[in-house]
Amino acid sequence: THDTKRSGDVRARLYALSERAAAFEEGLAAFRRLLAERHAVTAAATGAVAGPAREPATTPLVAQILLGVLPAAGWEADLEGRVGDALVKGAREAKLRSSWTEPDEAYEAGLRRLAATALEGRGALLRASFGDLVDDVARLGAVCSLSGVLLRSALPGIPDCYQGDEAWRLSLVDPDNRRLVDEDRLAALCRSLPEPGAAPPGAVAALRQGWRDGAVKLLVTARCLAARRLAPDAFAPGAGYLPLAARGEAAASVCTFLRTGAEGRVALAVATRLPGRLPAGPDDLPSGTSFAGTALELPLGAPGRWRDVLGDREGAGGRTVSVADVLGELPVGLLVGA
């Protein structure tokens, strides 16, 4: 359509949710029952109709919206209104019970009460139904988002980034996606990033472990753009693109390719896919250690040394490269031939 119904970070969470389909279906049954019961009580107290909670398609939509936008760090006071607006707009565009030209105000009020009910107690109903899946989807979605930043930056074409998406931005359809960008917060995050070439040991790993504040996404965004400045011919229009295949224990979770420039510069990009299959801490993102026993076979002429732009390191190259070494402290890696 002409506008984005969910931001990239929300869509990334839904990608991650597809890896947890069985857990979602199990939690959905409990969520449908609890939400309908609680919504009926609320509707009875206000003399309203409890219809929306009983509709087969509405409850899964509410669950997916909440799993997509529930804050990763800190509660947002306006969340109830934002979710209500998204449900009302969806109903009007579906034109089944309401529309832009003939809005059913009573039905739409029911949708808004449904959003309020689902978010009572800061999402307690959602957590009671889905348990650990709520935090798991947020964590795995963060990995998918970082992979998206890397792929947009390194694949053939021109990378784009919506204003405000440099860090996490969990938004729904307009007017939610038209909210002002918090420039002050982004500027503060920028100032908190380690300086290239002067980062203390463990600084990048600390950003990964504190992924909820969004600084790690800002770091990957900034350093991917820095890599394009460092080796412009490797990312220029017409630069070579060679997809690679990983081998080893975690090969299915690797998406990787080479970019080669006319002036001989080479870049190697490695992104994580299907992160739900990888070992990691309960509130941590997978990184190099999650890919033990997995390697890449590079073509003849591969650089003898690489510059790890994201991890701010240099290392040896060669025909065979360990994925664990490429990724280091992040779920994504971008190396430029030194």
Side-chain angles (χ1 to χ4, degrees):
T1 66
H2 64 283
D3 58 351
T4 300
K5 301 302 183 185
R6 297 178 176 91
S7 67
D9 291 329
V10 174
R11 295 197 305 273
R13 287 190 181 187
L14 296 182
Y15 304 155
L17 184 61
S18 71
E19 287 197 76
R20 299 288 191 258
F24 177 71
E25 290 292 341
E26 182 179 345
L28 184 62
F31 185 66
R32 190 189 300 276
R33 175 177 54 81
L34 292 174
L35 184 61
E37 291 173 358
R38 181 61 190 152
H39 189 57
V41 171
T42 304
T46 60
V49 178
R54 301 292 183 183
E55 295 170 348
T58 301
T59 307
L61 176 63
V62 173
Q64 289 179 24
I65 286 176
L66 295 184
L67 288 170
V69 301
L70 211 64
W75 190 254
E76 297 173 6
D78 62 346
L79 192 58
E80 177 186 315
R82 292 169 49 207
V83 173
D85 285 345
L87 290 175
V88 168
K89 176 160 185 173
R92 289 183 179 182
E93 295 195 352
K95 300 177 183 176
L96 298 175
R97 295 289 303 274
S98 189
S99 70
W100 291 106
T101 55
E102 297 182 49
D104 184 332
E105 294 182 359
Y107 176 75
E108 292 178 359
L111 287 175
R112 293 190 184 279
R113 282 192 298 274
L114 188 65
T117 302
L119 285 167
E120 285 179 357
R122 297 193 169 190
L125 199 67
L126 192 76
R127 292 186 178 277
S129 304
F130 292 98
D132 293 340
L133 184 66
V134 177
D135 292 321
D136 198 33
V137 165
R139 181 180 67 87
L140 299 179
V143 180
C144 294
S145 288
L146 296 179
S147 291
V149 172
L150 176 75
L151 294 174
R152 285 194 300 274
S153 302
L155 283 168
I158 305 299
D160 62 357
C161 181
Y162 288 97
Q163 292 181 4
D165 280 7
E166 297 91 346
W168 306 137
R169 187 167 174 83
L170 301 170
S171 61
L172 301 167
V173 70
D174 58 294
D176 195 42
N177 59 16
R178 299 173 189 262
R179 288 176 295 155
L180 293 176
V181 175
D182 190 343
E183 302 285 0
D184 291 338
R185 177 177 173 273
L186 287 176
L189 281 180
C190 273
R191 290 190 294 269
S192 73
L193 298 182
E195 289 289 335
V204 174
L207 292 181
R208 185 198 75 237
Q209 293 161 352
W211 61 270
R212 291 179 178 274
D213 67 3
V216 66
K217 185 181 179 186
L218 188 59
L219 177 88
V220 172
T221 301
R223 292 193 172 179
C224 280
L225 294 175
R228 294 179 66 90
R229 291 193 297 270
L230 180 64
D233 65 310
F235 301 100
Y241 166 76
L242 178 66
L244 303 174
R247 54 178 173 79
E249 299 175 16
S253 291
V254 178
C255 175
T256 181
F257 53 88
L258 281 175
R259 300 299 312 278
T260 54
E263 299 176 15
R265 296 304 293 270
V266 178
L268 171 64
V270 179
T272 295
R273 63 185 293 270
L274 302 175
R277 302 182 181 187
L278 298 170
D283 195 34
D284 198 2
L285 311 184
S287 57
T289 55
S290 305
F291 290 85
T294 307
L296 305 176
E297 197 71 29
L298 302 184
L300 289 171
R305 292 192 64 78
W306 293 98
R307 174 68 183 169
D308 175 4
V309 181
L310 303 186
D312 203 16
R313 307 171 298 157
E314 285 200 12
R319 290 290 307 280
T320 302
V321 178
S322 164
V323 174
D325 290 344
V326 173
L327 296 183
E329 299 173 324
L330 292 170
V332 293
L334 184 57
L335 309 186
V336 174

